[in-house]
Amino acid sequence: MELGKKNLICEFCSLEFSSTSTRNRHIRTKHSAQDLGSTSASTSAEPVKAERTKRIICPICTNETSFFFYKELIKHLTNSHNLTIKESVLYFRNFEEFTVWRALENREIDFACLTGRKYPNGFVSSAQQRNMKTGGSIRINGTCPSRIIVNISADGSVAINFTETHVGHTDELRTKRLTGAEQTTIVGQLTAGVSNDRIIQDSRIIHNGKLERINLITRGDLAYLIRKFNIDKRRDADDMIATALKIEEWNRQGKNHAFFFKKIGESYPGLNDGDFAIGYMNGIMEKKLRSFSRIICVDGTHGTNKRNLDLTIVLVKDENNMGFPVAFFLSNRLDQLIQQIFFHALQVRLGEPIQAEYIMSDDDPKYYNAWCQVMSTDQKPRRLLCTWHVIKNWNIQGRSKIKKQEVRENMKKEMRKILKETDPLKFIEVKENYFNYLEEEGENDFLKYLQRYYFQNEERIKMWAHCHRRNAGINTNMAIESLNKVLKYNKMKGQRNLRVEKLLDLLEELVDEKMWKTIVNTERPNANNYQHKITLEAHKKAEQMNGKVELLSENDHFKVESCSVSGKYYFVSFNEVCDEECRAGYCTKCKICLHRYRCQCPENAVKTIICKHIHAVALFEQRSESVLGPSTSEEGNVLCIDEPSTSQICYQDDVSHFIQETRPHTTTISFDDQREIMVQEMNSFVRSLDEQSFNEYMVMFRKFKNDNERRNAEKCSKKRKIEKQTYYPSKK
């Protein structure tokens, strides 16, 4: 037998072990000292018990004098260094009294529980002075003799041996820790939602003219307390496990929010085992997508979580022409394949393909190509590029490719003029003139760039030119950009290291806030949002356009003279008649909504807002009606029916659906299921406790257990009490 393998076998019982230390521990615990002395094999083989190390070091001696026991250290400090070590013995009736005593003079934070051993007659634990921070290190290169030895008897009484004298360090404020009471106060504030800045500001108030540890708290202290007491409600320490638990919680509550979920390590067709992906859409988002699928905006963003997962957002324009998110997709990839999987899962969730007319995204074709391959319909949607992104690309390329400063400054004005031209014939004319100008100035690099990437064919021009997107209902992707800003700065507070579990919670809150904003603006309308401000500004300009509106021979067409260009006219026509409750871009003075008229100007045809020409036509009709009076035919056709309008019905339906979605889900759970859930929560809670909190918890648990057993014993020992009966005499 090999010598190495022979050393792993017990000499007394021939058991084989994985290591020498395991074998030695087995011999010490299972075999007596007589067996160890009677055999000669133990002398020839490796020593059973290794030489003990002297771990207790004198904190004063420069030659690092070490000892085996604390008594030797105290004797050395008394004899060699002439120090007086104060020791005392105290007794307490129960552990609660000891806890109160320990809380005095910061003993609960200056001493940490290190070891504990179980004895037949009770429980013995020892505590030692914490290593204090002195300068740049928390070590003192020695052992402080101060400690508390706690003996807990079987009857619950506590006896302690307290060594009070500290040696080798000073009691500095910067090395102190927060007391239990101070931690409880701060945790209560954090749980109540008080901001970190406010907590730190309140802690700077000095009491009794003396600095205390509470006055020196930092954000690091607050972050530690948040982790220690699980204030951020983490479902698990591991982010991926916590995300899976959150999805299980959704499913348990009957909320199928995660329409696609792939864990790390799982196999999925087309994806690697190390890929992670999750798709989120709740009930109100699904309803919005089904109702307003005409315009789909898709864009991706990054910097939302500490795992650097990319977030894809799908957004639609709702009944108020405002952006509303309808789906979120989080993955470690952002290629076309993962987008196809995302859109396919979205189609499966809806049960049918989405009939979209326009798809707006950035210049990357992966979103549009993935949509067209998955959402197979009779007619492909038109692809539109965001105007803001197009102008941004032109400015970046112009700065690097245009050599002359004058041409570079003129480029922004001329390219915007080409972009915003709404007449197709005029668009070609302006484009040819500017291209000839670039050729004359010798700016061939920028000219070739435009011809290669934006003017190569008619299909490419239709993606960004305003003359080909009239009355499309969308111009830029700013709704998604605004949503990203709200998410990153309002919800995430500028943090980039959030857990995926926390990000899902914030996305859920973001959708709820968008819906609440719609409800508040409907129930309590105001003129503080962006669209209302633009509408009021356009109305003020229209009030100064007296005499510039002309009614054509057709009753549904008006000709309005332009204020900026002399001799130029815009034609305004009736579009559709909405009910009185429609508030999409509503003007409170003209009493019209966004759908009432249609104008040829870029403000209405491209940006989809009520322009000043429409306001002028509405004011013209109001003045004409006030002079001529209302039409008798219109008066006869008015029906006084006390029924809600179509807009009101749709709004009430959305509100009812939202209330049903956000209502706490209550289901009848059996006692066994409740007990199983409670056991899982208790296991997670106990694992999160530190040693001190665990000991306090065990004391309370044993007390509750003993009280419960005592009550059960009293119930069993008590005899049945017979109530006193009242007897009434009979006739006999």
Side-chain angles (χ1 to χ4, degrees), residues 596-718:
R596 176 64 174 172
Y597 298 96
R598 179 172 294 179
C599 183
Q600 294 179 340
C601 71
E603 296 294 322
N604 180 257
V606 179
K607 296 183 179 181
T608 320
I609 62 176
I610 303 180
C611 62
K612 58 185 177 181
H613 313 107
I614 294 179
H615 285 282
V617 171
L619 294 176
F620 175 79
E621 285 197 309
Q622 289 181 1
R623 288 192 293 267
S624 301
E625 185 176 351
S626 62
V627 174
L628 301 177
S631 175
T632 56
S633 59
E634 292 182 356
E635 286 183 350
N637 293 331
V638 174
L639 298 179
C640 299
I641 303 177
D642 189 12
E643 292 183 357
S645 60
T646 305
S647 301
Q648 192 68 17
I649 293 175
C650 295
Y651 167 73
Q652 293 295 340
D653 186 30
D654 289 345
V655 173
S656 301
H657 195 281
F658 176 68
I659 294 175
Q660 186 68 24
E661 182 78 15
T662 56
R663 179 182 299 175
H665 187 75
T666 57
T667 55
T668 303
I669 305 177
S670 62
F671 174 75
D672 294 335
D673 294 339
Q674 292 180 0
R675 183 167 54 186
E676 184 66 24
I677 295 173
M678 189 64 184
V679 169
Q680 295 178 1
E681 293 180 354
M682 290 296 296
N683 290 337
S684 177
F685 171 73
V686 171
R687 292 192 188 98
S688 64
L689 296 177
D690 55 6
E691 189 171 358
Q692 177 184 352
S693 302
F694 177 77
N695 293 333
E696 296 176 357
Y697 171 77
M698 289 303 299
V699 171
M700 292 186 294
F701 174 75
R702 292 192 185 99
K703 182 179 179 181
F704 173 78
K705 180 181 177 182
N706 296 334
D707 294 342
N708 188 48
E709 292 177 353
R710 178 178 52 80
R711 286 193 297 266
N712 293 335
E714 291 177 356
K715 290 181 181 179
C716 296
S717 61
K718 285 183 179 180

Side-chain angles (χ1 to χ4, degrees), residues 90-139:
L90 302 176
Y91 298 93
F92 303 95
R93 290 178 296 180
N94 48 48
F95 191 81
E96 286 73 12
E97 290 186 1
F98 166 70
T99 304
V100 174
W101 173 85
R102 190 184 173 196
L104 300 176
E105 299 182 2
N106 292 335
R107 294 190 187 101
E108 63 175 350
I109 57 175
D110 288 342
F111 295 87
C113 186
L114 294 182
T115 59
R117 296 183 61 187
K118 189 74 178 289
Y119 289 93
N121 59 346
F123 183 83
V124 177
S125 64
S126 62
Q128 184 185 8
Q129 174 70 21
R130 289 182 182 269
N131 291 327
M132 309 293 274
K133 293 182 180 179
T134 56
S137 175
I138 64 174
R139 300 185 180 275

